[in-house]
Amino acid sequence: MSTIVKYAISLLLLFYTTSMAWGQVEGAVETIHPLPHDTVCPAAGDTCFAEPSGLFRPAYDMDRLEAESEKRIFIIRIQIVLVLALSITVLLLFYYLFRFYRIKQELAVAAKKACRADKKTSGFLQNMSHEVQVFLQEISGLSDALILESDPGKKQEYATEICSRNERAQRVIFDILDVSKIESDRMQFQYEKISLNGLVEEVCSSIRQQIPDDVEILLLPCEDRPFTTDPVRLNQSLSNLLHYAATHTAGGRILIKYESLANEVCFTISGENWTMTQEEYQFLFDRLVQTSGKLEDMKLDMLISRGLLVKMGGALTVFPDPSGGTRFEFILRDHPLN
């Protein structure tokens, strides 16, 4: 039997017991029969005659009856108080049992989440340690080949490969540090008033140099406004989102715009030929999936962007569309300067 059913049964028992007790009080009150108006009460020991009722009652019997009735009413009132106190105690007991049951369920859910997070963290660390080991072995092999190679062209090729892979690995390591700071709530933010249009144009100009030639990034006309935020973190988030959209579209234009909403700003990034399946969306923010593969090929941009926006009081929403037209939307609020 569930807790709710027990709670309902206890309430019914409470109402039934209270109604029975009040019925006894009313019955006790009705047992007190007043004397008729024309009854003559002689001295003690004489018989009292009531003409309309035809009843003969000794005077001392009436006094004794009244005393017993008052005593009975007093006892019943005490019983009512005890029943109410017991009922309240039972209700409180059921309430605390219900609360204990809810807290136990919440703790069980929290424990499951903690176990899943611990397993994910363990898998992430195991994957990272393996990939770091493989990366160091490959770099060591290229370094040995560079030292032993006598051909200048081959030496230059090996040196270029080592530098390129080191730069990519260094960027991934910095991304991993950013993710750890965000998840441990140690990321620091420096808010200042900026020109929103100027920051977005700067981000677009920087991303245009890193994307394929068949992709165009277009900033739609937006009303410029002063905005208080962390320009470095907002620049990083916008750059990651635009770079992801530009590298996952099948050519065409990537459109970015923002709209002022009172003390908030809504950003939208969309693509004309940008497709995203439900499976890609499902693993878009999965840390284990995004860190699978070689160290220098890991992609943590989306995890960082979402974490930064959430820490700055915003929320990132993804609208996947397998037929084209996928878009990102996020809202940031204007932070007042202290």
Side-chain angles (χ1 to χ4, degrees):
M1 185 181 297
S2 64
T3 306
I4 304 300
V5 175
K6 293 179 181 179
Y7 182 76
I9 292 176
S10 63
L11 283 179
L12 292 175
L13 291 175
L14 171 63
F15 293 148
Y16 174 75
T17 308
T18 307
S19 61
M20 291 294 293
W22 279 115
Q24 293 181 7
V25 172
E26 293 177 356
V29 173
E30 290 176 356
T31 57
I32 303 175
H33 301 287
L35 291 174
H37 294 291
D38 55 352
T39 302
V40 179
C41 296
D46 295 338
T47 302
C48 180
F49 177 74
E51 292 181 356
S53 60
L55 300 175
F56 295 91
R57 295 183 179 178
Y60 72 91
D61 287 344
M62 296 299 299
D63 295 337
R64 184 166 57 85
L65 181 61
E66 291 180 359
E68 290 179 356
S69 298
E70 291 178 358
K71 183 179 179 181
R72 186 178 178 185
I73 292 173
F74 176 75
I75 293 174
I76 293 175
R77 287 176 178 172
I78 294 298
Q79 291 177 347
I80 292 175
V81 172
L82 292 177
V83 169
L84 290 175
L86 180 61
S87 302
I88 293 173
T89 303
V90 172
L91 291 178
L92 289 176
L93 178 61
F94 278 119
Y95 170 76
Y96 284 115
L97 287 176
F98 180 72
R99 288 291 302 164
F100 174 76
Y101 177 73
R102 290 292 302 274
I103 292 173
K104 186 178 179 180
Q105 282 187 326
E106 293 175 359
L107 289 176
V109 172
K112 289 182 180 179
K113 289 183 178 179
C115 289
R116 287 197 297 267
D118 183 64
K119 289 181 179 179
K120 287 186 177 181
T121 302
S122 299
F124 172 74
L125 293 176
Q126 182 179 3
N127 186 34
M128 289 301 304
S129 62
H130 172 72
E131 295 303 330
V132 168
Q133 183 180 3
V134 171
F135 172 77
L136 293 177
Q137 290 176 352
E138 292 179 353
I139 293 298
S140 177
L142 286 174
S143 301
D144 292 340
L146 176 63
I147 294 174
L148 298 176
E149 184 62 49
S150 58
D151 185 7
K154 287 289 186 180
K155 282 181 172 289
Q156 183 64 33
E157 181 181 348
Y158 289 152
T160 303
E161 179 69 15
I162 292 174
C163 291
S164 175
R165 297 188 63 176
N166 280 336
E167 289 177 359
R168 286 184 292 170
Q170 186 179 15
R171 185 181 68 251
V172 171
I173 291 174
F174 287 156
D175 288 344
I176 293 173
L177 293 176
D178 285 343
V179 171
S180 65
K181 288 180 181 179
I182 292 171
E183 293 182 351
S184 62
D185 202 16
R186 292 190 173 185
M187 180 67 73
Q188 297 182 354
F189 297 89
Q190 300 293 332
Y191 294 97
E192 60 183 76
K193 193 173 290 293
I194 62 171
S195 170
L196 200 56
N197 204 34
L199 184 140
V200 177
E201 287 181 349
E202 178 183 351
V203 172
C204 292
S205 300
S206 175
I207 294 298
R208 288 190 183 103
Q209 303 175 5
Q210 309 173 19
I211 60 176
D213 296 334
D214 59 342
V215 179
E216 178 185 3
I217 293 181
L218 179 61
L219 173 61
L220 298 179
C222 303
E223 181 182 357
D224 193 14
R225 57 164 289 178
F227 191 69
T228 304
T229 186
D230 187 328
V232 176
R233 302 307 178 189
L234 180 56
N235 188 313
Q236 183 179 3
S237 300
L238 281 174
S239 298
N240 290 341
L241 295 175
L242 281 174
H243 187 270
Y244 183 90
T247 54
H248 287 76
T249 186
R253 297 186 301 176
I254 299 295
L255 308 177
I256 177 173
K257 66 176 182 178
Y258 63 86
E259 181 181 1
S260 298
L261 304 172
N263 64 334
E264 296 178 336
V265 175
C266 178
F267 291 84
T268 303
I269 299 174
S270 59
E272 296 176 338
N273 301 313
W274 181 15
T275 61
M276 180 183 293
T277 62
Q278 192 64 31
E279 184 179 1
E280 292 178 10
Y281 169 70
Q282 183 179 357
F283 298 110
L284 186 60
F285 301 105
D286 193 314
R287 185 171 55 179
L288 288 178
V289 175
Q290 297 300 324
T291 55
S292 60
K294 291 186 176 181
L295 179 66
E296 63 269 26
D297 296 331
M298 294 181 180
K299 303 296 182 182
L300 297 171
D301 300 343
M302 298 304 298
L303 282 170
I304 295 174
S305 296
R306 185 182 66 172
L308 291 176
L309 293 175
V310 170
K311 293 299 181 182
M312 290 191 293
L316 175 63
T317 307
V318 183
F319 298 92
D321 188 352
S323 61
T326 302
R327 71 182 190 275
F328 291 146
E329 286 187 5
F330 66 91
I331 297 177
L332 279 182
R333 60 185 178 89
D334 197 350
H335 286 265
L337 289 176
N338 296 327

